[in-house]
Amino acid sequence: MAHRGVDTDFILPEFSMETRQFLFTASTLFIILIIIYANSFFSPFHYDDIENIVNNEKIHVSSLSWKELKKGIHGVNDGTATLKRPLAYISFAVNYHFSRLNVFGYHLTNFVIHYISCLALFLLFRNIFQFPTINPKYAPLAYPVALLATFLWATHPIHVTAVTVIVQRMASMAAMFYILSFYFYTKAKLSNKKYGIVLYFTGCFIFGLMAFATKENSAMLIVSILLFEVMCIKGGIGENFKKLVKRWPIPLVLFILLSLYYVWPVTFLSSYEDRPFTMLDRLFTEPRILLFYISLLFYPQTERFSLIHDVEISRSILTPWPTLPAIVLLIAAVCLSIRYHRKCPLISFGILFFLINHIIEGSFIGLELIYEHRNYLPSMFLYLPVAIFIFHAVHYFKHHALLKYMILGTITFFLCMQAHTTLMYNAIFLNEKSLWSQVVKKAPEYSIGLNNLGKVHWDDGENEEGYALFLKAEASNRWMNKEQKGVCLYNIGLYQLTIAKDYESARAYFERSFELFQASPNVWTNLAHAYLMCDQKNKSLSVLEKALEIWPRNGHILNALSVVNFKIGNITAAKRYAMRAKLNGVNSIQPDIVMGEILRREGKYIQAIERWERVLKLDPENMRALFALLELYHEMGDNDQKSDIIMKINCRTLSGPIEKNIDELNSHPQDKVYLINKRLIVDLLSTKNLTPRHHLPNNSNIF
């Protein structure tokens, strides 16, 4: 039989060297990142996640229609506000549509964003070495330098808060679009074909807009590209800068408009009203913070990282003493970068890129002083000159095998340790208690950490431990803003209201809290509750009516209004609010309790029984409902049903005599709609000679 040649139609095409390098980088990077971030995929919502995702009804969409998605484009503000990071909030809405509040989908999205950012950064680094102004001797090192610089950045633990804290997708997604825009700009500058230039510049423009629509600090993209153009493409600032300014009027005007959108003078001046520092204090403090960021980037120890850092505010140029040296060092870094930008363009650009992209969040605007996630974008170019230096050292010692392999072994060991630090840092975010315990350990006198750790203990049922931390946070009185102090005062008031039963103290704390923090309906309803318990019904009603104007469909407010109106004697209004609560789908027993008592007083016993039966259906172990039904069946003379209810009461274990348990349910009658007729209940139970056996918790609290 004759030999048949191989059918070349079935041979896979060979990949180019660049493609093989990219595939190796993509696969290796994915494996490493999935290892060091695998323990983050089930970390719960933390910190700002609660306000922006969990409690943000505007992103809780029922479909992916534009009508639903556009609800979230104003952030947590109302629909009349200006756009606020619309693409970030739309991405949260899409996550919510598919997985509701299951954190896995959110974390998976954040991981993919980080992975794409890493690949885009690698491609950008590789492109940079193709420009003729970059020293030609770097060309043979383009791939290994791009690979090492990308891995150093991608695995760094300083990015954990940008990737693992879900809401900080705003930082990572903006950086992803930013670096993609930058990449397409370099592709356009390297392209020799007209259609390629148009296509790449279009991509640059689109991704740039998407970056700004994700987070406002992306406005610095235009400045970064202009700086890259004059330093790394044209080869010098001087005349090139003047020429580019003349050729770039539209981009520069766009930059000014985008900047004013975010830092409108009235807006950023008013942002200091809520801060414990002035604008001058912030400008003095930020140079020290920038140097601290750099120390984290080049000395990444687990113990040095934290979601919250406690920073001493610089009240003058000399207090504390490192303020002036920090300012001098940064000015010197800028001057030297400009002075030697022709000789060392990548080092100069990396330093200036870092500083430029910290300007919006690290200068005039009255934001919090320090967050690690703010380094996600600015740190991208810092490792490029580091990687160049390492491979130059390897090349220099190429004839000294021992030294060469020592350098390679050291950098490999450093990368492994850095990745391990990221893995360990991620583990801190696995639950709220480990996170805030670490924050308190790192900053023991900082009030926000103490308050939030107290909240964790409170939610775990450890009320006394939580209360002690709330008091410590108040005494420390070191807050990022007044609202955080208001939250702490609210938490102390809640303890006084629900645990200590000291209603005057609760009222005082809630009033102090209300002056600082009004963003949550719970603040309003609990202040109203405290007023009611202090027998100030009209004040309670006034607070709730104002709250309803802000949250017209809030079930807690509607329930509270039905009770307060009932206590005042406005039965018609009590009915109306109870019915509104039901119509708004409030899954609560309170509307039925109010309606059940109103109907009982009106003599409509059958309808009243229907309401109390609903209460019992929603809360099968509610003792108050059983006592109310026993009274109603007694009033109707229905002995069969009465005996059935007595048997149900008999299946409950009481903590003591029946009289004592009824007294507990009737205690603090200011907020009780239905007060149990103790004498009648005792007589009815005694008639049957039954001894109740089970007791369930008092479920009578209305707010």
Side-chain angles (χ1 to χ4, degrees):
M1 182 179 292
H3 175 70
R4 296 183 60 189
V6 178
D7 190 346
T8 56
D9 291 340
F10 294 93
I11 294 179
L12 292 174
E14 281 194 26
F15 292 119
S16 66
M17 177 62 73
E18 284 194 355
T19 302
R20 291 201 299 273
Q21 290 173 348
F22 175 76
L23 291 175
F24 173 79
T25 302
S27 56
T28 307
L29 193 61
F30 178 81
I31 292 169
I32 292 174
L33 289 180
I34 203 71
I35 290 172
I36 64 177
Y37 279 98
N39 61 346
S40 73
F41 285 112
F42 294 97
S43 296
F45 292 107
H46 292 299
Y47 201 35
D48 289 341
D49 292 344
I50 307 302
E51 178 185 4
N52 288 279
I53 300 172
V54 178
N55 295 337
N56 184 6
E57 295 182 358
K58 294 178 177 61
I59 63 140
H60 295 175
V61 298
S62 57
S63 71
L64 294 181
S65 65
W66 174 241
K67 181 180 179 181
E68 284 287 298
L69 291 176
K70 73 177 181 180
K71 294 177 183 177
I73 62 177
H74 305 289
V76 294
N77 300 319
D78 60 47
T80 61
T82 55
L83 295 179
K84 183 180 179 182
R85 304 177 182 180
L87 281 186
Y89 282 104
I90 287 174
S91 75
F92 295 141
V94 173
N95 274 141
Y96 181 85
H97 174 73
F98 287 108
S99 56
R100 294 299 186 259
L101 296 178
N102 184 326
V103 294
F104 179 80
Y106 296 86
H107 284 299
L108 181 62
T109 304
N110 279 23
F111 176 83
V112 170
I113 288 169
H114 183 53
Y115 179 60
I116 293 173
S117 298
C118 297
L119 294 181
L121 190 63
F122 168 76
L123 293 173
L124 173 61
F125 287 163
R126 206 167 60 176
N127 271 3
I128 286 173
F129 289 103
Q130 297 182 41
F131 289 104
T133 49
I134 303 299
N135 197 324
K137 67 181 179 181
Y138 293 154
L141 300 176
Y143 173 64
V145 166
L147 183 67
L148 178 58
T150 301
F151 272 69
L152 284 167
W153 181 85
T155 60
H156 203 288
I158 205 169
H159 305 319
V160 164
T161 52
V163 181
T164 301
V165 178
I166 295 169
V167 75
Q168 296 312 333
R169 177 185 305 174
M170 295 173 180
S172 61
M173 191 162 84
M176 177 185 71
F177 291 134
Y178 185 116
I179 213 66
L180 282 169
S181 177
F182 210 130
Y183 167 71
F184 275 97
Y185 179 80
T186 60
K187 289 291 288 183
K189 298 298 290 186
L190 291 168
S191 179
N192 295 319
K193 298 179 180 179
K194 187 174 182 180
Y195 74 87
I197 294 172
V198 173
L199 182 65
Y200 291 134
F201 271 127
T202 301
C204 171
F205 178 75
I206 291 172
F207 281 119
L209 286 182
M210 292 175 75
F212 185 76
T214 305
K215 194 173 181 181
E216 300 86 345
N217 63 338
S218 300
M220 300 309 295
L221 172 64
I222 298 172
V223 177
S224 297
I225 289 178
L226 178 61
L227 189 68
F228 182 81
E229 176 81 18
V230 297
M231 293 180 72
C232 299
I233 298 179
K234 299 298 182 183
I237 296 178
E239 290 299 318
N240 289 318
F241 184 80
K242 296 176 183 178
K243 291 177 183 178
L244 282 172
V245 168
K246 292 178 181 179
R247 290 167 53 188
W248 279 39
I250 295 177
L252 289 173
V253 169
L254 181 62
F255 165 71
I256 293 170
L257 292 176
L258 291 176
S259 300
L260 288 175
Y261 175 87
Y262 189 49
V263 293
W264 190 255
V266 175
T267 303
F268 78 72
L269 287 173
S270 64
S271 64
Y272 284 91
E273 296 173 358
D274 194 35
R275 300 293 179 189
F277 48 81
T278 64
M279 184 191 296
L280 195 59
D281 293 340
R282 195 175 200 278
L283 291 173
F284 285 151
T285 306
E286 283 298 330
R288 290 170 41 231
I289 292 173
L290 290 176
L291 292 181
F292 174 69
Y293 286 154
I294 293 170
S295 76
L296 288 178
L297 287 164
F298 291 101
Y299 183 46
Q301 272 196 328
T302 307
E303 296 76 15
R304 305 188 68 221
F305 294 96
S306 180
L307 177 65
I308 304 291
H309 290 273
D310 187 6
V311 177
E312 184 181 357
I313 297 171
S314 295
R315 299 298 181 184
S316 75
I317 202 168
L318 298 175
T319 308
W321 73 264
T323 303
L324 182 58
I327 294 172
V328 171
L329 278 173
L330 289 183
I331 293 173
V334 172
C335 293
L336 289 172
S337 296
I338 295 173
R339 173 68 178 81
Y340 293 103
H341 75 277
R342 293 179 186 273
K343 186 177 180 180
C344 309
L346 292 179
I347 295 175
S348 297
F349 179 73
I351 292 170
L352 295 177
F353 183 87
F354 177 79
L355 296 175
I356 284 170
N357 285 284
H358 268 299
I359 285 177
I360 288 182
E361 292 180 308
S363 57
F364 295 97
I365 306 169
L367 304 171
E368 283 81 1
L369 289 170
I370 178 171
Y371 279 125
E372 290 170 8
H373 70 261
R374 291 177 181 169
N375 291 278
Y376 191 84
L377 172 62
S379 64
M380 284 182 166
F381 278 86
L382 282 182
Y383 292 109
L384 193 57
V386 172
I388 291 172
F389 174 79
I390 290 169
F391 280 102
H392 265 303
V394 171
H395 180 73
Y396 182 80
F397 293 109
K398 65 182 179 180
H399 299 300
H400 300 78
L402 179 61
L403 289 175
K404 182 176 73 171
Y405 288 115
M406 282 180 64
I407 294 170
L408 292 174
T410 300
I411 193 62
T412 303
F413 176 77
F414 179 83
L415 276 171
C416 292
M417 294 306 296
Q418 178 172 279
H420 181 262
T421 300
T422 301
L423 181 68
M424 292 298 99
Y425 190 21
N426 266 316
I428 293 171
F429 291 82
L430 287 176
N431 59 72
E432 285 275 273
K433 183 167 284 188
S434 64
L435 173 61
W436 292 109
S437 295
Q438 190 260 2
V439 169
V440 170
K441 181 180 178 181
K442 187 86 170 65
E445 300 300 320
Y446 212 31
S447 296
I448 183 63
L450 293 166
N451 177 78
N452 288 6
L453 182 59
K455 179 66 165 55
V456 172
H457 283 288
W458 179 274
D459 291 342
D460 288 344
E462 301 166 349
N463 298 327
E464 298 303 326
E465 292 86 343
Y467 179 60
L469 286 164
F470 296 150
L471 290 177
K472 189 174 180 181
E474 183 197 15
S476 180
N477 198 31
R478 296 186 62 190
W479 306 97
M480 294 182 184
N481 54 59
K482 294 177 182 178
E483 185 176 285
Q484 291 177 349
K485 182 176 181 179
V487 171
C488 180
L489 294 171
Y490 167 82
N491 290 334
I492 297 173
L494 198 61
Y495 176 89
Q496 298 294 339
L497 179 69
T498 60
I499 306 299
K501 307 293 184 185
D502 184 347
Y503 300 120
E504 285 295 337
S505 179
R507 176 192 57 77
Y509 273 107
F510 283 141
E511 285 179 338
R512 289 173 61 195
S513 170
F514 193 75
E515 292 175 0
L516 305 173
F517 172 57
Q518 300 178 12
S520 168
N522 292 340
V523 176
W524 297 70
T525 55
N526 280 298
L527 174 61
H529 192 182
Y531 280 138
L532 184 61
M533 299 308 292
C534 294
D535 205 28
Q536 299 179 30
K537 300 184 185 71
N538 289 328
K539 278 190 175 182
S540 179
L541 183 63
S542 175
V543 169
L544 291 170
E545 286 177 341
K546 290 176 182 176
L548 192 66
E549 293 175 6
I550 303 172
W551 298 282
R553 299 182 62 183
N554 184 276
H556 294 293
I557 298 171
L558 292 168
N559 281 338
L561 277 166
S562 69
V563 174
V564 173
N565 277 286
F566 179 89
K567 301 299 286 187
I568 289 174
N570 191 347
I571 303 303
T572 302
K575 282 183 179 180
R576 182 173 69 252
Y577 288 120
M579 293 303 295
R580 278 183 64 181
K582 275 293 183 186
L583 289 172
N584 279 292
V586 175
N587 188 23
S588 167
I589 61 175
Q590 198 58 51
D592 288 313
I593 290 176
V594 172
M595 290 303 300
E597 181 60 10
I598 291 173
L599 291 167
R600 185 186 73 83
R601 294 190 181 191
E602 292 175 349
K604 300 175 181 178
Y605 297 137
I606 294 177
Q607 292 161 285
I609 287 170
E610 290 176 357
R611 295 288 182 167
W612 282 108
E613 289 286 1
R614 289 180 193 171
V615 173
L616 207 57
K617 185 176 181 180
L618 288 171
D619 184 6
E621 300 177 343
N622 190 295
M623 288 298 295
R624 188 178 296 276
L626 288 172
F627 290 140
L629 287 168
L630 183 56
E631 285 190 44
L632 285 165
Y633 285 127
H634 175 71
E635 292 291 335
M636 292 181 64
D638 191 333
N639 292 326
D640 290 339
Q641 292 290 346
K642 185 166 61 174
S643 297
D644 184 56
I645 295 297
I646 291 173
M647 289 182 66
K648 289 181 179 178
I649 294 173
N650 185 46
C651 294
R652 309 297 197 269
T653 296
L654 299 181
S655 58
I658 189 69
E659 294 89 343
K660 178 185 175 183
N661 286 272
I662 293 175
D663 286 340
E664 288 178 1
L665 289 171
N666 281 343
S667 63
H668 309 292
Q670 299 95 318
D671 65 345
K672 306 297 188 298
V673 172
Y674 162 64
L675 293 174
I676 302 162
N677 188 332
K678 183 171 73 172
R679 177 177 294 180
L680 175 61
I681 295 298
V682 171
D683 287 347
L684 290 173
L685 293 175
S686 299
T687 301
K688 287 288 186 180
N689 195 27
L690 298 172
T691 304
R693 291 185 306 198
H694 281 277
H695 177 62
L696 290 163
N698 180 355
N699 294 299
S700 59
N701 207 345
I702 65 162
F703 287 85

